[in-house]
Amino acid sequence: MMQEGLDDGPDFLSEEDRGPRAVNVDLQTDATLQVDISDALSERDKVKFTVHTKSTLPNFKQNEFSVVRQHEEFIWLHDSFVENEEYAGFIIPPAPPRPDFDASREKLQKLGEGEGSMTKEEFTKMKQELEAEYLAIFKKTVAMHEVFLCRVAAHPVLRKDLNFHVFLEYNQDLSVRGKNKKEKLEDFFKNVVKSADGVIVAGVKDVDDFFEHEKTFLLEYHNRVKDASAKSDRMIRSHKSAADDINRIASTLYTLGTQDSTDMCKFFLKVSELFEKTRKIEARVAADEDLKLADLLKYYLRESQAAKDLLYRRGRALVDYENANKALDKARAKNKDVLQAETTQQVCCQKFEKISESAKQELIDFKTRRVAAFRKNLVELAELELKHAKGNLQLLQSCLAVLKGDT
Amino acid sequence: MAASSERSPPPFPESEEQELEHDLEEDEEDSEEGADIFTGGTLSDSAMDPPLPVSSSEPPKDIFSEPPADTFKDPLNKTSAEKAASGGLSKAQAAVPVKVAADEELDDLFSDSLGESGAAPVTDAKIAPLLDLGEEPQKSDVIKKGAGKDDASTEVLSAPQNDVIKKDIFEEPPKGAAKDLPTDIKDGNAAGKKPASTDLFGDDDDEDLFKEPLGAMTKKPQGSLFTEAKSEAKAARPEQSNSAAADLFTEEAFTVTPVVAAAKSSVNTSSKTNGLHSDEEDLFAEATVELSLDSPHNDRRKREAAKPSAPAPSLSASASTSKPQPKTLEELEEEEKEDTFDLNISVTNPEKVGDGMNAYMAYKVSTQTSLSMFRSKQFTVRRRFSDFLGLYEKLSEKHAQNGYIVPPPPEKSILGMTKVKVGKEDPSSAEFVERRRAALERYLHRVVSHPSLLQDPDVREFLEKEELPRAVSTQALSGAGFLKMINKATDAVSKMTIKMNESDVWFEEKLQEVESEDQQLRKLHAMVESLVNHRKELSVNTAMFAKSVAMLGSSEDNTALSRALSQLAEVEDRIEQLHQDQASNDFFIFAELLADYIRLLGAVRACFDQRMKAWQRWQDAQNMLQKKRETEAKLLWANKPDKLQQAKDEIVEWEAKVSQYEREFERVSATVRKEVIRFEKEKSRDFKKQIIRYLESLLQSQQQLIKYWEAFLPEAKAIA
């Protein structure tokens, strides 16, 4: 039961494992557009996601359809949102992280090489372990991609985006490619400029208290959530190593038990069995912490970054607006190009106001979403921890009863 | 009480002859009275029941001052033989126990190398019949062989007898006892043993006795016959294994009559020096009537008396059941446990003495005991680490060659100690000190729970004496250390060159088992250590996460969420502590147990090596004998009578040596076997105890965990 998710092979999207969706608590569940990832296929260096859509919206030809998409296409969709000026006032749902199976694959490979140096039981055990690990990463990846789509589908404006519809409906390769080196370099420079600019923009005192507050909050929040996320990762990693140790202890105890000729053999075997079980629970605890805690933090790390980006865009617009004002004043003073300056000022003003307006709502939504997501995850985390601890306790109790009965 | 220093010198008979005479006299008396005693044994016992508290301190001293050891040896031979005879005559049942007793005593005697030519043959003759009675032909054969050898060389006689006897004890006593001996006496003995056991443990001489009896005990349970007897026996004895050993003695005493008792008492005398039980003395009063005489005799009687007194109730019971001896394993275990309770040693208060590289840690070694071998019930000494090593050196020098498993002390750790010396108060050195302290404590427990080692004067001295001479040879870099290294190296080489064709499947299998177990334990130990490290890491990381979450909570602007996060931080903080505690439990309960047993398995292998060495000696001697015979043949051929005589002498000499070495080999083998069995029992008990303790610690962790999360759950739900 507890093991389900990890052990049963291809059905990695079983009920419980949809958990990561919890990260994404969209407030309005709308039956008019429902998106999920119904299947995923891991190939050598890419993962193919089957995106399944159910919709009653008129711009889709059918009510229900599926397409196959790759990670790059998700990124393309995300970037198209970011680049669209129209969406400057929104928190763009953060793009899912790149699937990274390298570490896990490498381990599997190493295991294959070291096959000769260990006993058969050890090998099978290790292999199972690694496969479980691989599967867990795989499921996480799928979940993150799904979360992205759900967020978009739930957004009142973004859900109507044409690119999004194409992404969902067009049943052939979108032939987006990964960025080449030049583009990556450009991106890098853009980022440098942006962050330098961000510092300037951040220095500008905001006239609006709400945004001023949000700005300081998000800055701090982002840093802390980043820290917490890193720490939770480390914690979970050491938890996993501890669980692995217990696993190995269990198998050594087993060997000891099979070797022993005295009455100790039963004892060793029993303890080995216990460790084997507690190890599963411990591993499960670590996995659940990963799912409920680390993933939550990671998601809000990205989402708070997206919110920061929004504030940056607004700040940028504000600065532009102020500059336009200044330019208009100058132009008026010189009585030159006044009209042009006026138009620019008008545009900047409109843009700023539009951003401000939607940004305010977006930030309020962000907070509501965040609180709800944390609540859900923390409650689930606590419940799972309790469940596992109780399971563990029971195991220990029954084992102790048996052992004490024996002696 | 006599000072320990007095005891330590090997007790030698200054007035052997006198004692011998006494013994003889006693023996005669005994034999006559023996039958009577049998019949009336129960009565007398019951009468004795109320133990009269005699001042224990005085009698022991007296005995001590006189040569107790000597008396034991010589008299024992005779007495035992006579006893056996008497027993055999009187009742076949009695015979078996008698043998056992005789064997034990003989061993002692032998070790001292006090063999009386006259005595030896007698014993053989008597024993043989006894064996027949016992219904085990094999044994009788063995005995005969032994006898034959004896004839060849009177000096050697004593040794062979020992061997033979031992065998008998092992094999026969269980069965024979079960069948033939279902007498009340045995029960009584067993009961009596309880008090006696502690006493018996006194001197070196006693050690031998103990070992054998133990072996016998363990084997008994195996005997099918015994199983029946067990149930009955259980009621009778809640004693310790030691006591079991004592039982045999006591049995003899009863069956054989006072004489036997005397023999035992002689054995006991040594123990008396250690500390006599008041009960014994009381009993003695009665016994004395028959055996008046030397102080040693008195002592013996006392003991006899003492034993019976305690068992009195059991005796009656046994009378009905008829088979008191056979103890089940469980009983033995119980006994052993109780045993350890008699002596409670704790190592505490590690203290740094001195500064810089000359600094060392001193530990307080406190002993609490009811054992009368110690001068007081409670005492404390300060010892430094090298003293512990010194103790081990002394013990292994004395006992390892006989095939005993001498518990090894914790290893020297130059790195850890240097840290302690140099570093001030950092947690890793504190942990190191605690780890070592605990290891030293366990080490001492292992030493004293070994019945023979407990008897060693060095152990007592270690526990009792204010000032110990500084142990020099323990320093890793000293000249002695270097020599030791060389010795070890040569040992290793010679070990490789010895090609032993193992004749005994048991040893072969055990050795293999030990080796593979060693391997697995090492592996397991490495893994548990890694678990400890990961758990520590987890604890550190959890602490950091807790801090981080607390920060996140403080910057969160939703009040309820902020509170929940700071609650989560608190929970994680507690969990951190939990992980830390669990890590130290992992280490101190589990990892250290494994480390101990890895070391102990090393000691077990060493005792197998000793056996191999003994075998090698025997083989070498045989080869030598072969050569001598060849030269003799050549001389005969060449017709050189002048040298012929010399060659013949040499052959005789080497024949003696061969049989001596063979016996030695057999003795070592027997000891190793016993030791390994004992070790296995201890091991399984230790493992069970410790692992259960470990699991309980895990259980507690989980309970705490549940508490923490349960407290958190409503907080999480309160987020709105």
Side-chain angles (χ1 to χ4, degrees):
Chain A
M1 174 60 190
M2 295 163 209
Q3 268 310 94
E4 125 188 330
L6 283 176
D7 284 351
D8 41 22
D11 182 23
F12 36 79
L13 290 179
S14 62
E15 275 321 296
E16 205 189 336
D17 288 299
R18 297 230 161 178
R21 220 187 235 184
V23 170
N24 167 38
V25 181
D26 284 304
L27 302 175
Q28 58 280 60
T29 29
D30 189 347
T32 55
L33 179 61
Q34 285 176 326
V35 185
D36 64 331
I37 294 179
S38 58
D39 197 3
L41 199 69
S42 169
E43 286 181 3
R44 181 160 284 280
D45 52 354
K46 58 191 171 197
V47 181
K48 287 185 172 169
F49 304 95
T50 305
V51 178
H52 170 246
T53 311
K54 242 171 139 178
S55 173
T56 54
L57 291 182
N59 25 5
F60 294 115
K61 285 179 206 125
Q62 290 164 293
N63 282 345
E64 197 169 345
F65 44 86
S66 294
V67 289
V68 174
R69 292 282 173 261
Q70 291 182 32
H71 174 72
E72 283 71 27
E73 290 163 319
F74 284 79
I75 299 300
W76 165 80
L77 181 62
H78 174 261
D79 288 351
S80 80
F81 289 149
V82 172
E83 279 156 21
N84 192 334
E85 283 285 316
E86 287 295 306
Y87 302 145
F90 303 131
I91 296 176
I92 310 292
R98 235 192 101 65
D100 183 13
F101 299 113
D102 293 352
S104 175
R105 278 220 185 90
E106 212 171 282
K107 275 197 214 162
L108 261 177
Q109 211 169 358
K110 264 191 201 153
L111 180 73
E113 286 161 9
E115 189 174 351
S117 64
M118 52 183 102
T119 67
K120 204 178 162 197
E121 291 101 49
E122 276 175 328
F123 179 77
T124 3
K125 215 172 215 178
M126 290 275 282
K127 202 173 152 212
Q128 276 174 0
E129 231 172 88
L130 283 178
E131 279 169 357
E133 190 185 314
Y134 183 82
L135 203 61
I137 299 176
F138 187 77
K139 272 185 287 188
K140 244 166 96 165
T141 310
V142 171
M144 303 255 216
H145 285 78
E146 196 181 44
V147 165
F148 171 71
L149 293 182
C150 292
R151 275 272 289 126
V152 175
H155 195 281
V157 179
L158 296 180
R159 67 194 304 209
K160 292 175 191 141
D161 182 80
L162 188 64
N163 282 335
F164 182 47
H165 288 185
V166 170
F167 177 90
L168 292 180
E169 199 174 26
Y170 186 62
N171 64 356
Q172 303 199 1
D173 199 345
L174 291 176
S175 74
V176 296
R177 52 182 173 83
K179 287 172 180 166
N180 62 24
K181 271 187 190 157
K182 196 180 150 220
E183 281 167 326
K184 274 185 188 159
L185 205 64
E186 275 171 11
D187 270 4
F188 176 73
F189 279 119
K190 245 194 244 166
N191 270 327
V192 172
V193 172
K194 188 181 140 197
S195 48
D197 196 35
V199 175
I200 299 168
V201 170
V204 177
K205 175 91 182 101
D206 207 305
V207 281
D208 193 324
D209 278 348
F210 174 80
F211 285 108
E212 187 62 27
H213 170 79
E214 283 297 317
K215 197 164 71 185
T216 45
F217 162 72
L218 272 177
L219 223 60
E220 193 181 78
Y221 189 81
H222 179 72
N223 285 336
R224 294 201 166 153
V225 100
K226 193 174 177 179
D227 184 54
S229 158
K231 299 284 162 61
S232 70
D233 269 355
R234 285 167 69 173
M235 177 175 82
I236 289 158
R237 215 177 315 131
S238 36
H239 209 136
K240 278 182 183 150
S241 331
D244 285 354
D245 289 334
I246 296 179
N247 188 23
R248 262 171 246 134
I249 288 171
S251 58
T252 316
L253 277 173
Y254 181 80
T255 345
L256 256 180
T258 48
Q259 273 177 9
D260 205 298
S261 63
T262 63
D263 60 328
M264 284 300 286
C265 69
K266 266 193 231 139
F267 183 82
F268 280 135
L269 290 180
K270 183 76 198 162
V271 176
S272 157
E273 188 192 323
L274 170 78
F275 277 7
E276 177 68 39
K277 283 183 189 153
T278 53
R279 165 253 151 185
K280 275 185 185 163
I281 294 186
E282 284 296 327
R284 196 64 203 165
V285 169
D288 282 337
E289 280 176 357
D290 198 15
L291 221 56
K292 299 293 171 198
L293 203 55
D295 283 357
L296 174 77
L297 292 170
K298 243 177 255 161
Y299 185 79
Y300 275 93
L301 172 63
R302 284 182 287 125
E303 179 113 21
S304 65
Q305 181 60 48
K308 261 173 73 187
D309 287 349
L310 168 63
L311 282 183
Y312 163 72
R313 287 194 296 271
R314 186 184 160 275
R316 186 70 248 166
L318 177 60
V319 172
D320 286 349
Y321 177 42
E322 279 171 356
N323 286 344
N325 270 340
K326 275 180 209 156
L328 180 61
D329 284 351
K330 246 189 223 167
R332 278 191 180 137
K334 289 182 187 168
N335 205 8
K336 214 169 97 190
D337 295 334
V338 176
L339 194 68
Q340 197 197 341
E342 246 173 18
T343 354
T344 323
Q345 192 256 0
Q346 288 282 316
V347 171
C348 284
C349 178
Q350 266 172 17
K351 189 184 170 195
F352 171 67
E353 267 162 12
K354 193 183 158 214
I355 291 180
S356 292
E357 194 189 63
S358 61
K360 196 164 189 168
Q361 191 51 49
E362 282 279 300
L363 287 172
I364 291 169
D365 283 354
F366 169 65
K367 186 171 161 182
T368 330
R369 260 202 326 267
R370 189 179 72 232
V371 171
F374 269 89
R375 179 180 192 277
K376 184 165 185 288
N377 276 277
L378 288 182
V379 168
E380 280 173 1
L381 173 71
E383 278 167 353
L384 285 170
E385 293 270 9
L386 274 174
K387 180 179 134 197
H388 295 322
K390 279 175 184 163
N392 227 337
L393 186 73
Q394 212 182 352
L395 276 180
L396 284 164
Q397 274 169 341
S398 61
C399 180
L400 272 172
V402 172
L403 292 183
K404 280 181 180 164
D406 272 359
T407 47
Chain B
M1 290 256 173
S4 57
S5 58
E6 289 174 279
R7 298 167 196 165
S8 52
F12 267 99
E14 297 150 20
S15 59
E16 293 180 3
E17 297 166 14
Q18 297 172 2
E19 289 165 4
L20 291 175
E21 291 170 12
H22 291 303
D23 296 50
L24 292 171
E25 293 170 11
E26 292 174 8
D27 295 351
E28 293 171 358
E29 292 174 9
D30 298 350
S31 58
E32 295 169 1
E33 296 165 10
D36 305 352
I37 293 166
F38 277 127
T39 53
T42 43
L43 298 173
S44 61
D45 296 331
S46 60
M48 293 168 172
D49 296 351
L52 316 173
V54 180
S55 66
S56 58
S57 56
E58 294 185 0
K61 285 180 186 176
D62 304 349
I63 296 162
F64 198 28
S65 56
E66 300 175 17
D70 309 353
T71 54
F72 298 135
K73 301 162 189 173
D74 313 0
L76 291 177
N77 290 336
K78 299 171 185 175
T79 51
S80 62
E82 290 167 325
K83 296 165 195 171
S86 63
L89 296 170
S90 59
K91 297 182 182 183
Q93 310 156 343
V96 178
V98 173
K99 294 169 195 170
V100 176
D103 301 348
E104 293 162 3
E105 293 156 9
L106 292 173
D107 290 341
D108 301 354
L109 303 171
F110 290 133
S111 58
D112 300 356
S113 78
L114 310 170
E116 298 181 8
S117 57
V122 176
T123 49
D124 297 348
K126 291 167 186 171
I127 292 167
L130 295 175
L131 295 171
D132 300 346
L133 296 172
E135 300 175 356
E136 300 187 7
Q138 313 156 341
K139 298 161 192 174
S140 61
D141 299 350
V142 176
I143 295 164
K144 288 167 189 169
K145 291 177 194 169
K149 291 168 187 173
D150 299 351
D151 299 343
S153 58
T154 50
E155 313 151 8
V156 182
L157 288 177
S158 58
Q161 289 172 345
N162 289 333
D163 302 349
V164 175
I165 295 159
K166 288 171 190 171
K167 290 176 190 170
D168 301 352
I169 294 166
F170 288 129
E171 302 156 6
E172 300 176 4
K175 304 169 190 175
K179 304 166 190 170
D180 308 2
L181 311 175
T183 57
D184 311 357
I185 298 162
K186 291 173 184 177
D187 301 352
N189 301 338
K193 294 158 191 173
K194 303 168 189 175
S197 65
T198 48
D199 305 355
L200 296 174
F201 282 119
D203 301 352
D204 301 2
D205 313 8
D206 298 7
E207 293 175 11
D208 302 352
L209 300 172
F210 281 122
K211 294 166 190 171
E212 297 175 5
L214 290 176
M217 299 303 298
T218 52
K219 288 167 188 175
K220 292 174 187 175
Q222 301 168 347
S224 57
L225 299 173
F226 275 115
T227 51
E228 311 160 11
K230 288 172 192 172
S231 58
E232 308 150 60
K234 288 172 191 173
R237 22 212 120 106
E239 314 106 279
Q240 311 130 339
S241 62
N242 305 337
S243 61
D247 300 82
L248 299 174
F249 287 124
T250 50
E251 295 170 11
E252 306 161 9
F254 288 115
T255 54
V256 178
T257 68
V259 179
V260 179
K264 299 168 191 172
S265 60
S266 66
V267 176
N268 298 343
T269 48
S270 59
S271 61
K272 291 167 190 172
T273 55
N274 298 337
L276 295 174
H277 288 280
S278 55
D279 308 10
E280 296 176 1
E281 293 172 2
D282 305 352
L283 302 172
F284 177 47
E286 304 169 5
T288 34
V289 181
E290 301 160 2
L291 322 169
S292 54
L293 322 177
D294 316 0
S295 57
H297 293 298
N298 294 336
D299 298 333
R300 299 169 193 169
R301 294 162 198 169
K302 291 170 190 173
R303 284 163 199 175
E304 299 167 9
K307 295 164 191 172
S309 69
S314 61
L315 288 173
S316 58
S318 62
S320 59
T321 57
S322 85
K323 302 175 188 177
Q325 314 163 328
K327 299 178 182 183
T328 60
L329 277 176
E330 295 154 39
E331 288 167 16
L332 287 174
E333 276 171 28
E334 279 169 29
E335 290 168 14
E336 279 170 27
K337 271 177 209 158
E338 282 176 27
D339 200 18
T340 57
F341 286 142
D342 282 354
L343 187 60
N344 202 346
I345 297 180
S346 59
V347 177
T348 50
N349 284 2
E351 236 175 48
K352 196 167 146 186
V353 179
D355 280 317
M357 286 317 282
N358 288 324
Y360 62 89
M361 297 298 297
Y363 303 86
K364 199 166 113 183
V365 179
S366 338
T367 313
Q368 232 182 341
T369 179
S370 56
L371 292 190
S372 40
M373 58 179 272
F374 293 102
R375 270 173 292 177
S376 51
K377 287 212 179 307
Q378 210 168 351
F379 40 87
T380 302
V381 289
R382 283 201 83 77
R383 293 283 178 260
R384 53 181 294 182
F385 184 63
S386 55
D387 292 336
F388 288 85
L389 296 185
L391 175 65
Y392 169 70
E393 294 294 331
K394 284 184 206 161
L395 291 179
S396 70
E397 215 172 276
K398 269 187 272 186
H399 301 284
Q401 66 193 14
N402 293 326
Y404 287 114
I405 299 173
V406 180
E411 276 124 12
K412 269 187 105 70
S413 163
I414 294 177
L415 182 70
M417 201 49 210
T418 313
K419 250 191 192 165
V420 172
K421 281 173 181 170
V422 178
K424 303 296 167 236
E425 292 300 319
D426 83 278
S428 78
S429 75
E431 195 191 284
F432 169 78
V433 170
E434 167 58 18
R435 175 185 180 181
R436 176 169 273 184
R437 185 205 63 74
L440 289 174
E441 194 172 284
R442 288 194 305 275
Y443 163 65
L444 284 185
H445 283 160
R446 291 215 167 84
V447 170
V448 299
S449 67
H450 194 294
S452 325
L453 294 184
L454 177 60
Q455 300 310 311
D456 193 285
D458 282 326
V459 173
R460 249 176 302 144
E461 195 175 68
F462 181 87
L463 294 175
E464 271 184 331
K465 204 173 172 192
E466 270 314 313
E467 290 291 328
L468 270 190
R470 177 104 162 73
V472 247
S473 56
T474 58
Q475 255 158 3
L477 298 176
S478 69
F482 188 62
L483 271 179
K484 242 189 280 169
M485 264 166 59
I486 292 179
N487 280 340
K488 266 185 202 155
T490 50
D491 262 17
V493 172
S494 68
K495 216 161 66 185
M496 277 187 284
T497 54
I498 298 179
K499 283 271 180 293
M500 183 164 178
N501 43 353
E502 183 60 81
S503 52
D504 193 329
V505 187
W506 188 88
F507 283 102
E508 205 174 349
E509 279 173 2
K510 271 294 170 223
L511 185 59
Q512 241 166 36
E513 229 172 71
V514 164
E515 264 160 15
S516 72
E517 192 176 0
D518 183 57
Q519 214 182 356
Q520 291 303 321
L521 280 186
R522 275 172 203 280
K523 210 162 140 193
L524 188 57
H525 183 244
M527 278 162 196
V528 175
E529 294 253 280
S530 127
L531 175 64
V532 170
N533 288 335
H534 280 134
R535 194 100 74 175
K536 277 185 188 157
E537 200 183 290
L538 174 60
S539 154
V540 171
N541 288 336
T542 308
M544 289 198 312
F545 176 65
K547 258 184 220 131
S548 192
V549 168
M551 296 289 285
L552 183 67
S554 74
S555 72
E556 171 62 57
D557 59 359
N558 178 295
T559 344
L561 180 52
S562 165
R563 222 194 42 217
L565 285 177
S566 56
Q567 289 291 328
L568 178 63
E570 239 171 75
V571 169
E572 294 291 349
D573 242 350
R574 288 194 194 125
I575 292 177
E576 178 245 321
Q577 188 58 42
L578 216 56
H579 286 318
Q580 205 177 315
D581 293 348
Q582 191 54 52
S584 71
N585 282 334
D586 288 343
F587 182 77
F588 281 109
I589 305 183
F590 202 1
E592 286 291 84
L593 169 76
L594 298 173
D596 278 5
Y597 272 90
I598 289 169
R599 278 200 298 272
L600 278 167
L601 282 177
V604 172
R605 289 164 85 160
C607 87
F608 277 101
D609 290 347
Q610 289 298 343
R611 180 172 165 272
M612 202 157 79
K613 272 191 203 161
W615 182 82
Q616 184 63 23
R617 259 201 308 273
W618 174 33
Q619 295 303 308
D620 286 349
Q622 256 179 351
N623 289 339
M624 199 56 160
L625 180 61
Q626 195 57 38
K627 270 185 206 153
K628 297 286 176 203
R629 286 210 171 110
E630 275 165 19
T631 41
E632 188 204 17
K634 271 183 206 154
L635 288 171
L636 225 74
W637 184 255
N639 202 8
K640 287 181 184 167
D642 48 332
K643 284 185 186 169
L644 198 58
Q645 189 51 45
Q646 192 196 342
K648 273 184 177 155
D649 286 349
E650 272 179 357
I651 287 174
V652 168
E653 185 193 327
W654 278 100
E655 270 172 353
K657 271 189 188 158
V658 166
S659 57
Q660 184 197 340
Y661 287 145
E662 185 185 355
R663 244 157 250 143
E664 239 162 54
F665 169 69
E666 257 147 36
R667 188 167 52 93
V668 171
S669 295
T671 315
V672 169
R673 199 187 264 257
K674 263 177 293 178
E675 285 285 286
V676 169
I677 287 169
R678 180 178 176 280
F679 169 80
E680 274 176 352
K681 224 166 28 181
E682 288 250 299
K683 187 187 77 186
S684 101
R685 209 178 55 208
D686 258 19
F687 265 85
K688 278 179 186 159
K689 202 177 98 200
Q690 288 296 91
I691 288 183
I692 284 177
R693 231 179 99 203
Y694 177 65
L695 295 184
E696 273 166 351
S697 80
L698 284 176
L699 190 92
Q700 237 166 11
S701 290
Q702 294 299 326
Q703 273 168 340
Q704 286 297 313
L705 208 57
I706 290 175
K707 234 196 272 171
Y708 296 154
W709 283 112
E710 258 168 3
F712 176 72
L713 192 54
E715 293 287 342
K717 282 185 172 156
I719 303 171

